[in-house]
Amino acid sequence: MTSSSPAAVRPSVLFVCVHNAGRSQMGAAYTHHLSGGAVEVRSAGSAPAESINPAVQQAMLEDGIDISAEQPKLLTTEAVEASDVVITMGCGDTCPYFPGKRFLDWVLTDPAGQGVEAVRPIRDEIKARVTELLGELGVDVVR
């Protein structure tokens, strides 16, 4: 028997980093933007910051994506269970593991405390990886 829930139709991706203020926010924003909403996107952190990193906001705005309304969120077991793919970005053993879920660990420089000049190459690497991920999920990239 097949499920008719939206998750069965739309792939879902969860991006996780420690503070949910930089890398995971960029990953989520690019996945939403580049998929044209065809992917259900979540992001969370094992120890969320108070707000999004301003240099990350600026770097994303330079690429036409405004994440100023986003807020860091706490990683929950429910978010992992509801996602098809879980992408970790430096959270190590704090990320819960569930058999049957696809886990990817993207090793990326942490933008915390960095200026926008240092954030740009991290942003560009995340965009490239998200583009590749969407291809693997069979989702057309919207330019």
Side-chain angles (χ1 to χ4, degrees):
M1 182 196 288
T2 59
S3 170
S4 61
S5 70
V9 177
R10 283 172 68 200
S12 59
V13 179
L14 168 64
F15 290 89
V16 182
C17 67
V18 176
H19 300 298
N20 191 222
R23 295 167 290 185
S24 55
Q25 290 285 348
M26 288 189 280
Y30 273 125
T31 302
H32 178 74
H33 182 77
L34 294 174
S35 75
V39 175
E40 183 180 10
V41 183
R42 297 175 184 83
S43 72
S46 53
E50 292 292 315
S51 61
I52 304 295
N53 178 330
V56 167
Q57 281 186 25
Q58 182 181 343
M60 292 301 288
L61 203 52
E62 289 174 357
D63 203 24
I65 300 174
D66 183 359
I67 61 170
S68 62
E70 296 298 324
Q71 287 295 314
K73 294 169 277 308
L74 181 63
L75 176 64
T76 64
T77 300
E78 294 78 19
V80 177
E81 289 175 329
S83 301
D84 298 317
V85 181
V86 179
I87 298 174
T88 58
M89 302 169 154
C91 61
D93 294 338
T94 60
C95 298
Y97 177 80
F98 291 91
K101 298 289 176 190
R102 180 177 175 201
F103 285 83
L104 300 172
D105 186 36
W106 290 359
V107 179
L108 299 158
T109 303
D110 189 347
Q114 304 286 331
V116 71
E117 300 79 18
V119 172
R120 287 182 189 119
I122 302 166
R123 172 201 65 196
D124 295 345
E125 175 71 14
I126 290 170
K127 184 177 184 178
R129 289 182 187 216
V130 165
T131 300
E132 184 177 323
L133 175 68
L134 292 175
E136 292 171 8
L137 295 174
V139 174
D140 291 333
V141 172
V142 177
R143 298 283 176 193

